[in-house]
Amino acid sequence: MKKIEFYKHNLNGRDRSEVCRVLRSIFLTTGPQVARLEKELAAYLGVADVVGLTSCTAALHLALLRHGIGPGDEVITTPLTFVATATAILEAGAVPVLVDVSPGSGLLSPAAVSRAITSRTKAVIPVHLYGRMVDMRAFADLAKQHRLVVIEDAAHCISGERDGIRPGVLGQAACFSFYATKGMTCGEGGAIVCHSKEEGEWYRSARHHGISKNAARRYTKKYEHYDMEMLGWKYNMDDIQAALLINQIPRLDKYRNQREVRETYYRELLQDVPGLEFMQLPAAGEKSEHHLFTLLLPPDVSRDIVVLGLQELGIGCAVNYIPIHELKFFREKFGYRPEDFPVAHQIGTRTITLPLYPKLTRAQIRRVCKTLKQVIGKLKPDQHTHG
Ligand SMILES: *Cc1c(COP(=O)(O)O)cnc(C)c1O
């Protein structure tokens, strides 16, 4: 039987012809298409400025540097995230401080974060996990009270909303990813939201070696020498990436709705599996991006055997996430034990992510659910973790 892929993108003919137009032009690197994307994304999100980068990881790194966070500083974040959230903190020279997540949602709660604040805490990086936003209003209040910077890891949530707030509106910075499996993609790419043109110019310089005049400017305007004004990185998005992304913006909300409909169908079909738990649904008035459909397998079932079983039967799936504190590098560097963050550990042990994308058909969802039930049902007693 044909494999059901974990993810399928939605690039169409129009996206491809935008790229071909760039390929036929003289200019391939950061230029007019990046500027166009930045403008349209800022309008979509309702923010002052957006700067195109090579990844969300780059965005997180630059956001920390922009706000003067470095050696000696602590940055609070979640253990239930992709490694990039924590590695960006280390790249900036600061110390990641993990705070356990809320059961049910897997989100960082402002109350839990407030208990971990010390005199060295300079910033917090909450993650809008699986597409649901954290309580940004409460985080903004907390930040004001303790003079903290809030940097949103919005890699899972570009189209969501909570309490009338969208990603990037309340945080000092918000970081987006256009990696291959994200809601809007160009293979590899990212962007940062900021709140003034002046800040935008800082990020534009920082993404390109700290050089004052980029190649497009030298090419299109009268020749001027460039100067290097600050230490920068090589994080600039190019026009090929931007061209691929531009027409995806107006489709974001439609795709969000299509994923929601598919998740609802999954929940309906899986509600009778004993011991299986869903993550909490978004509250009334809240819009999740429905980026990932993750669920918690029954506690007595080995997640890893289920993952392998599904794979063998042609169903793509993933694990989001093995918590940060259980990865070798972080275990060895910080001496973490799994039980240090028990909620993240519980979720990390039981979680599995099933395929969720607009091209996924109802028949495919039925097959995923049937196969999952079959795999769980067939486990021999010794393949259950206990009992
Ligand atoms: C994908 C992802 C990132 C990293 O994005 P890149 O664009 O690959 O750097 C960061 N945080 C989370 C939560 C992610 O899912």
Side-chain angles (χ1 to χ4, degrees):
M1 221 185 304
K2 208 163 168 282
K3 184 173 180 205
I4 298 177
E5 301 293 345
F6 175 65
Y7 178 84
K8 272 187 174 175
H9 66 65
N10 272 298
L11 299 177
N12 62 25
R14 213 170 141 208
D15 299 322
R16 286 188 287 274
S17 51
E18 284 280 354
V19 172
C20 287
R21 251 191 16 200
V22 172
L23 296 181
R24 281 192 293 268
S25 79
I26 187 89
F27 211 80
L28 303 179
T29 183
T30 315
Q33 299 312 315
V34 172
R36 229 178 107 205
L37 172 78
E38 292 174 342
K39 209 168 142 218
E40 293 188 14
L41 207 47
Y44 172 79
L45 292 165
V47 295
D49 205 358
V50 171
V51 178
L53 302 171
T54 45
S55 69
C56 179
T57 313
L60 292 163
H61 182 203
L62 290 188
L64 290 162
L65 298 180
R66 165 69 191 171
H67 293 282
I69 291 149
D73 298 333
E74 291 178 356
V75 178
I76 295 176
T77 193
T78 163
L80 194 62
T81 183
F82 182 58
V83 295
T85 320
T87 56
I89 298 169
L90 294 169
E91 283 174 32
V95 179
V97 172
L98 303 179
V99 166
D100 207 2
V101 295
S102 304
S105 68
L107 296 173
L108 211 50
S109 91
V113 166
S114 84
R115 290 191 289 273
I117 293 172
T118 72
S119 58
R120 286 187 300 277
T121 309
K122 292 289 155 56
V124 50
I125 309 185
V127 176
H128 302 318
L129 191 70
Y130 307 145
R132 280 192 75 191
M133 285 183 71
V134 298
D135 185 351
M136 279 305 297
R137 284 185 188 274
F139 270 111
D141 288 343
L142 187 72
K144 213 165 164 186
Q145 203 183 326
H146 296 273
R147 307 186 51 179
L148 303 179
V149 176
V150 181
I151 298 166
E152 299 170 59
D153 182 335
H156 293 187
C157 188
I158 193 163
S159 63
E161 190 177 313
R162 178 167 172 171
D163 307 324
I165 299 298
R166 310 190 58 185
V169 170
L170 288 185
Q172 273 86 345
C175 306
F176 295 98
S177 174
F178 309 126
Y179 173 70
T181 57
K182 302 285 155 77
M184 169 166 148
T185 182
C186 59
E188 298 286 353
I192 190 156
V193 162
C194 59
H195 297 296
S196 70
K197 289 285 169 197
E198 180 218 343
E199 247 195 309
E201 288 319 305
W202 186 91
Y203 284 113
R204 286 185 181 86
S205 173
R207 77 178 168 188
H208 193 241
H209 307 292
I211 281 175
S212 54
K213 293 171 186 69
N214 69 22
R217 218 189 129 99
R218 288 201 303 285
Y219 177 78
T220 52
K221 305 258 160 58
K222 186 170 160 246
Y223 182 86
E224 290 172 73
H225 291 301
Y226 65 78
D227 199 357
M228 183 184 142
E229 295 164 347
M230 62 186 239
L231 181 61
W233 275 258
K234 178 63 178 171
Y235 283 166
N236 53 313
M237 176 182 278
D238 66 42
D239 267 20
I240 303 169
Q241 294 169 302
L244 203 44
L245 292 167
I246 280 171
N247 287 309
Q248 293 180 57
I249 300 171
R251 310 204 298 267
L252 283 171
D253 295 332
K254 181 177 88 182
Y255 291 157
R256 190 208 75 83
N257 293 336
Q258 291 176 337
R259 283 191 302 269
E260 181 175 17
V261 168
R262 280 152 186 76
E263 177 167 337
T264 305
Y265 191 41
Y266 263 124
R267 286 176 181 255
E268 197 186 304
L269 295 180
L270 291 173
Q271 63 183 349
D272 60 351
V273 181
L276 183 142
E277 284 174 64
F278 300 114
M279 301 303 288
Q280 202 177 65
L281 278 169
E286 181 194 338
K287 262 201 299 186
S288 167
E289 167 133 334
H290 296 280
H291 172 55
L292 296 175
F293 177 53
T294 60
L295 45 83
L296 305 179
L297 291 175
D300 64 339
V301 161
S302 159
R303 189 266 318 282
D304 294 354
I305 289 172
V306 172
V307 167
L308 292 174
L310 286 178
Q311 217 181 21
E312 243 165 59
L313 295 169
I315 311 288
C317 57
V319 171
N320 303 94
Y321 291 95
I322 305 293
I324 297 291
H325 72 286
E326 296 181 41
L327 302 171
K328 181 168 186 269
F329 172 84
F330 288 94
R331 276 195 330 255
E332 290 179 355
K333 189 174 171 72
F334 296 98
Y336 293 131
R337 288 156 310 152
E339 59 274 22
D340 287 347
F341 306 100
V343 181
H345 172 68
Q346 264 298 308
I347 295 174
T349 308
R350 292 176 58 192
T351 191
I352 186 169
T353 307
L354 300 178
L356 182 71
Y357 43 87
K359 280 187 175 149
L360 191 72
T361 65
R362 280 174 74 88
Q364 286 176 317
I365 293 174
R366 285 195 295 273
R367 195 180 126 205
V368 173
C369 294
K370 211 174 124 195
T371 313
L372 178 65
K373 289 178 186 180
Q374 193 185 326
V375 170
I376 293 176
K378 271 200 188 138
L379 291 182
K380 290 189 240 69
D382 63 346
Q383 290 169 331
H384 287 252
T385 49
H386 41 83

